[in-house]
């Protein structure tokens, strides 16, 4: 059982797995709370903070944006961080212009669902956090900053998606994903990649 799990995990971190339903789904990156996803989709948060550099296969590519179940210890800190750095002025004219960041643990009345694919982001490169960037960019907390070049929401989000930390394969983590959700995800991903 352990060997089988190790094989699946190794496969999920290297490349997408194709299935009999068609093209493989994109890789995904999980965020601990809805508030961070909204800050990215509203194009205010232009870096994603991670413990290591972006893998070479993911540089300059589109990936799916996933919101986890929202029950980790980082949720409370992340929500407070978004509230502190949210710009109402920058949100003006966006779908998030009337959204107000929250704090604490409550999952009620969230703008997006947890355990869902909520959009797509195009990654750039990554770099270690510098002292200058830390002063200049309140969203950059490091230790590694993954550059976010673009973000597109998925409307409506696809709920009921299990994920994990780091980049992961949606196919491997969600083998029982409904065919209709999978096809919508793949088609939306291809449209985003094509710039439609």
């Amino acid at each position: 059982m352990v060997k089988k799990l190790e094989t699946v995990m190794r496969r999920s971190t290297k490349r997408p797995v194709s299935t009999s339903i068609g093209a493989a789904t994109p890789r995904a990156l999980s965020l601990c709370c809805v508030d961070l996803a909204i800050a990215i989709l509203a194009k205010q948060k232009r870096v994603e903070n991670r413990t290591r550099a972006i893998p070479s296969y993911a540089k300059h590519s589109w990936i799916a944006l996933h919101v986890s179940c929202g029950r980790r210890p980082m949720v409370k800190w992340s929500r407070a961080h978004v509230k502190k750095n949210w710009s109402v002025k920058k949100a003006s004219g966006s779908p998030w212009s009337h959204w107000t960041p929250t704090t604490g643990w409550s999952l009620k009345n969230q703008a997006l669902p947890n355990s869902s694919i909520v959009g797509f982001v195009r990654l750039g490169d990554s770099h270690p956090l510098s002292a200058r960037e830390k002063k200049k960019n309140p969203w950059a907390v490091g230790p590694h900053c993954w550059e976010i070049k673009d973000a597109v929401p998925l409307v409506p989000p696809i709920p009921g998606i299990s994920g994990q930390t780091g980049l992961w394969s949606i196919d491997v983590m969600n083998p029982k994903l409904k065919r209709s959700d999978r096809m919508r995800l793949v088609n939306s991903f291809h449209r985003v990649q094509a710039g439609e």
Side-chain angles (χ1 to χ4, degrees):
M1 180 68 169
V2 172
K3 287 240 186 241
K4 186 176 181 181
L5 182 59
E6 286 174 353
T7 302
V8 168
M9 294 307 289
R10 223 180 0 262
R11 197 181 304 150
S12 72
T13 58
K14 292 211 186 304
R15 60 185 181 280
V17 178
S18 61
T19 68
S20 60
I21 305 176
T25 56
R27 290 186 176 283
L29 183 68
S30 292
L31 303 174
C32 69
C33 68
V34 165
D35 303 58
L36 289 173
I38 291 172
I40 289 171
L41 294 171
K43 300 183 181 179
Q44 293 194 29
K45 185 177 186 285
R46 306 303 290 174
V47 296
E48 175 54 19
N49 302 290
R50 294 287 156 161
T51 57
R52 57 183 62 124
I54 188 170
S56 59
Y57 61 79
K59 288 181 181 180
H60 310 286
S61 64
W62 284 94
I63 60 168
L65 190 62
H66 175 260
V67 176
S68 71
C69 64
R71 303 200 192 286
R72 293 191 177 151
M74 286 298 292
V75 171
K76 198 171 181 180
W77 180 89
S78 296
R79 285 180 147 187
H81 188 71
V82 171
K83 186 169 185 160
K84 177 181 173 187
N85 296 296
W86 180 257
S87 169
V88 174
K89 185 177 178 181
K90 286 182 182 177
S92 178
S94 79
W96 312 106
S97 59
H98 299 292
W99 179 74
T100 304
T102 58
T103 58
W105 291 99
S106 176
L107 299 179
K108 293 180 183 176
N109 302 320
Q110 294 189 117
L112 295 170
N114 286 83
S115 300
S116 299
I117 299 294
V118 298
F120 304 98
V121 294
R122 185 168 57 87
L123 298 174
D125 211 333
S126 66
H127 56 272
L129 178 66
S130 68
R132 182 174 181 258
E133 183 178 24
K134 190 172 184 175
K135 277 185 179 179
K136 190 177 177 183
N137 184 352
W139 298 105
V141 295
H144 287 275
C145 298
W146 292 15
E147 299 165 0
I148 298 172
K149 297 296 186 184
D150 202 359
V152 177
L154 178 61
V155 180
I158 298 176
I161 303 291
S162 298
Q164 66 184 33
T165 58
L167 288 169
W168 48 274
S169 167
I170 296 170
D171 284 334
V172 171
M173 292 297 297
N174 298 274
K176 294 183 180 179
L177 181 63
K178 288 192 295 186
R179 181 183 176 99
S180 59
D181 286 342
R182 188 181 186 291
M183 292 310 298
R184 186 165 74 84
L185 177 62
V186 169
N187 290 336
S188 298
F189 182 66
H190 289 306
R191 281 194 303 274
V192 165
Q193 283 183 309
E196 295 175 16

